[in-house]
């Protein structure tokens, strides 16, 4: 929307010249805004509380698994749980599967739904636009901060869970789902890939939340809308009569990462998943952009 | 372009021949600027603003007359449904990214993140400005906080600010850099008398630096004290625009004579001087002055043997002018 070409009547040519002459220490303007945005997201008490909860749940689940597995009648339960007793590394995966059903999407929806609607409801949006921050630029920075938050949440959950696994359970060479055994370092690397895959899923969800956020001035409404989409998608995904529509649901591929735990790696699930996430990111990113760059800001 | 009901004191609010000349040295100008909301309401109806560079322009109008809506359009927050406008000589909306960094603004009260300190909120505003120098940011932020008297409370959470402190912080954002134009929507809203005085002083100071000030306000006394130019809105239309003197109209309206012999005075005023609308109340006689000078009235009265105890030509207050332009009504639509 904004052209970056210098205008002859451009602002503060003196200031610009001064900045260029200082050379090395110069902070690119987009980075200043991005840094400010990250501070806003990661220093906000509510978001810190969310991250605290995300870090605490793996600890609680680890202890719970330890107690239940040492008791009689182990086995059953969510995917990867059976492997946890043999190797603590699998706790990272078991916890991630559980957290992807509610807590991770919730945290991402809160941050994404708040992105624009939160600024509008605080009355800060009109200030930013009058600076002018640039609508496209502001939206891009918001999306980037959502990506970072999704990444941080997934790495935090998996990191804490693996740490708990190491503390509570035996750790060693990792036996994959296909039966082959790989060194611990390779196993950990694959867990990291799973965390990144989950983060990609959360980014796609984040773009849905961001689009919802441009449609309202009530952040709670945007957050709720994104969560309703998650729940509706999960319900539809569980109805066999709708199987034709399943691949198009936003949540369908969230858990399709077990191919990463085979040797050789089975990429098909992950590929389909990443394709689906990219499509959602593109579509809802475009919706958010189209809406935000044309909407009246009357809040 | 018509001047239907826009004639004020016999002068059209928009003089067609004035328009191009005015636009040349205007900090803000618009032609036919209109906004119809999706509700169907025409909140701003073909407004032709001309805010001369270097002026302090008071933007007046009753509640709901479209002042804030006009300001939002000028800042690119909402899209006009018709008309065009220029900010600092740059046609909008294409010139927006070049014009707005030179414009400080405060729209419809303060808006900040409650969990950030005042200083952090200003830092965020400054970080959003891609043309601001990051090296001088903290010095500029402290200077802006100092000018609005908030340095002592700079590190308090914004959520813990009082209404006046919030308003001051909002004004501080427009002072983060040297501006060529400052647009303030009701800047003294919620301030105590001292705060109001200080803000008035601040606006004078900003204007003295050569910055054009566009100020929407309900406080007529405030406008009378600091503005050079005035625009008056009524239900979305700009019903008057001009200098403060032009708003007050030519000369005094009436003459009031205090005398122990009011009947005789009334006879002279109405008969010999042929003044219109002669009224007697107690020992006071008043009449429309028209083109006759007050000193002539005094001379004739004395010659006719009327003992004149006092003679006054009270100016109409800005409030009277304002009410005449915008109507007495209290209900808003
Ligand atoms: N977002 C909106 N949607 C629909 N109508 C609106 C919107 N914003 C303002 N209006 C209407 O436009 C009219 C002008 O409102 P505006 O806020 O510009 O008035 P104002 O002159 O600033 O009043 P005040 O002195 O009370 O601040 C009002 O009748 C209001 O109801
Ligand atoms: Mg208003």
């Amino acid at each position: 929307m904004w052209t970056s070409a210098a205008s002859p009547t451009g602002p503060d040519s003196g200031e610009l010249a001064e900045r260029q002459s200082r050379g090395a220490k110069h902070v690119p303007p987009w980075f200043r805004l991005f840094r400010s945005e990250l501070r806003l997201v990661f220093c906000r008490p509510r978001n810190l509380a969310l991250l605290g909860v995300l870090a605490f749940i793996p600890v609680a689940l680890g202890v719970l698994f330890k107690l239940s597995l040492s008791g009689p009648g182990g086995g059953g339960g969510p995917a990867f749980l059976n492997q946890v007793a043999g190797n603590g590394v699998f706790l990272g995966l078991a916890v991630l599967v559980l957290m992807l059903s509610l807590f991770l999407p919730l945290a991402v929806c809160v941050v994404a739904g708040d992105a624009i609607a939160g600024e509008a409801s605080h009355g800060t949006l009109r200030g930013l636009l009058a600076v002018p921050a640039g609508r496209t630029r502001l939206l891009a920075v918001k999306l980037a901060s959502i990506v970072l938050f999704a990444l941080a949440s997934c790495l935090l959950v998996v990191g804490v869970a693996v740490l708990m696994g190491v503390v509570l359970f035996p750790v060693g060479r990792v036996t994959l789902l296909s039966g082959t055994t790989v060194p611990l370092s390779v196993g950990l690397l694959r867990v990291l890939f799973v965390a990144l895959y989950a983060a990609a899923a959360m980014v796609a969800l984040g773009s849905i939340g961001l689009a919802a956020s441009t449609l309202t001035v009530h952040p709670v409404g945007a957050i709720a809308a994104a969560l309703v989409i998650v729940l509706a998608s999960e319900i539809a995904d569980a109805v066999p009569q709708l199987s034709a529509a399943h691949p198009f649901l936003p949540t369908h591929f969230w858990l399709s990462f077990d191919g990463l735990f085979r040797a050789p790696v089975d990429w098909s699930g992950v590929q389909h998943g990443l394709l689906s996430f990219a499509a959602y990111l593109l579509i809802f990113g475009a919706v958010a952009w189209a809406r935000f760059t044309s909407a009246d800001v009357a809040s | 372009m018509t001047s239907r009901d826009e004639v004020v004191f016999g002068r059209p609010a928009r003089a067609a021949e004035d328009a191009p000349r005015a636009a040349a040295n205007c900090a803000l100008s618009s032609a036919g600027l209109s906004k119809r909301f999706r509700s169907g309401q025409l909140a701003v109806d073909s407004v032709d603003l001309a805010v001369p560079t270097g002026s302090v322009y008071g933007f007046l109008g009753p509640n709901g007359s479209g002042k804030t809506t006009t300001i939002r359009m000028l800042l690119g927050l909402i899209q006009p449904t018709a008309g065009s406008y220029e900010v600092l000589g740059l046609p909008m909306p294409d010139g927006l990214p070049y014009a707005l960094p030179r414009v400080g603004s405060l729209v419809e009260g303060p808006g900040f993140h409650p969990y950030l300190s005042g200083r952090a909120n200003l830092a965020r505003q400054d970080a959003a400005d891609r043309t601001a120098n990051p090296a001088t940011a903290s010095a500029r932020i402290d200077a802006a906080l100092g000018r609005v008297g908030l340095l002592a409370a700079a590190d308090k959470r914004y959520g813990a600010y009082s209404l006046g402190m919030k308003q001051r912080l909002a004004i501080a954002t427009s002072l983060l850099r040297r501006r060529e134009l400052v647009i303030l929507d009701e800047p003294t809203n919620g301030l105590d008398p001292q705060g109001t005085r200080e803000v008035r002083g601040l606006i004078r100071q900003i204007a003295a630096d050569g910055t054009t000030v566009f100020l929407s306000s309900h406080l007529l006394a405030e406008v009378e004290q600091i503005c050079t130019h005035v625009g008056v809105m009524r239900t979305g239309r700009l019903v008057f625009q001009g200098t403060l003197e032009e708003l007050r109209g030519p000369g005094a309206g009436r003459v009031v004579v205090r005398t122990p012999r009011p009947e005789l005075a009334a006879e002279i005023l109405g008969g010999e001087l042929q003044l219109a609308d002669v009224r007697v109340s107690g020992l006071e006689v008043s009449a429309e002055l028209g083109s006759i000078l007050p000193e002539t009235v005094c001379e004739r009265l004395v010659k006719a043997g009327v003992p004149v105890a006092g003679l006054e030509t009270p100016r109409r207050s800005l409030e009277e002018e304002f009410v005449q332009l915008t109507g007495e009504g209290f209900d808003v639509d």
Side-chain angles (χ1 to χ4, degrees), chain A residues 152-178:
Chain A
S153 322
C154 292
L155 289 178
L156 181 70
V157 164
V158 172
V160 171
V162 168
L163 216 68
M164 285 307 289
V166 170
V167 171
L168 297 175
F169 300 97
V171 177
R173 289 177 66 85
V174 177
T175 308
L176 298 179
L177 299 175
S178 51

Side-chain angles (χ1 to χ4, degrees), chain A residues 3 17 20 23 108 122 185 216 238 252 286:
Chain A
T3 52
Q20 274 147 12
V108 170
H122 285 136
S185 57
T216 169
H252 182 70

Side-chain angles (χ1 to χ4, degrees), chain A residues 298, chain B residues 37 39 41 43 62-69 108 186 218 333:
Chain B
F37 281 108
S39 59
Q41 185 185 357
N63 290 134
S65 57
K67 303 183 295 295
T68 301
T69 305
E108 198 146 77
E186 297 183 37
H218 292 295
D333 49 28

Side-chain angles (χ1 to χ4, degrees), chain B residues 160-177:
Chain B
Y161 277 16
S162 72
L163 180 60
M165 292 160 84
K166 290 176 176 173
Q167 192 73 19
R168 287 165 191 242
L169 189 65
I171 295 171
T173 58
S174 63
L175 303 176
L176 278 173
R177 303 176 57 179

Side-chain angles (χ1 to χ4, degrees), chain B residues 66-225:
Chain B
K67 303 183 295 295
T68 301
T69 305
T70 305
I71 290 175
R72 280 182 191 280
M73 284 194 281
L74 295 174
L75 292 172
L77 296 176
I78 63 180
Q79 271 177 8
T81 40
S84 62
Y85 65 105
E86 289 183 4
V87 177
L88 297 173
L90 298 175
M92 299 287 125
D94 296 340
L96 218 88
Y98 309 114
L100 288 193
R102 298 146 69 196
V103 179
S105 60
L106 155 59
V107 189
E108 198 146 77
F112 294 99
H113 293 287
Y115 43 86
L116 293 181
S117 69
R119 181 178 273 125
N121 268 301
L122 289 191
R124 180 161 166 74
Q125 281 269 323
D126 196 65
D129 187 348
R130 76 192 100 174
T131 61
N133 183 356
T136 58
S138 67
R140 284 184 289 113
I141 289 167
D142 276 4
L145 286 167
R147 280 181 84 176
V148 298
L150 265 188
L151 264 180
D155 294 311
K156 235 185 186 178
R157 272 178 61 244
Y158 172 76
Y161 277 16
S162 72
L163 180 60
M165 292 160 84
K166 290 176 176 173
Q167 192 73 19
R168 287 165 191 242
L169 189 65
I171 295 171
T173 58
S174 63
L175 303 176
L176 278 173
R177 303 176 57 179
R178 251 197 65 83
R179 314 282 192 180
E180 287 163 54
L181 168 66
V182 171
I183 298 178
L184 301 170
D185 191 7
E186 297 183 37
T188 51
N189 209 358
L191 292 180
D192 56 21
Q194 286 90 336
T196 310
R197 264 177 79 96
E198 279 164 32
V199 167
R200 213 181 292 142
L202 204 58
I203 292 172
R204 281 209 188 93
Q205 211 181 312
I206 295 169
D209 290 349
T211 303
T212 308
V213 178
F214 183 83
L215 168 86
S216 100
S217 180
H218 292 295
L219 302 178
L220 298 166
E222 176 176 290
V223 167
E224 206 158 12
Q225 284 181 46

Side-chain angles (χ1 to χ4, degrees), chain B residues 257-261 264 301-302 305-310:
Chain B
V257 179
R258 249 178 304 119
T259 170
R261 299 189 55 191
L264 182 58
L301 287 173
V302 173
V306 178
V308 177

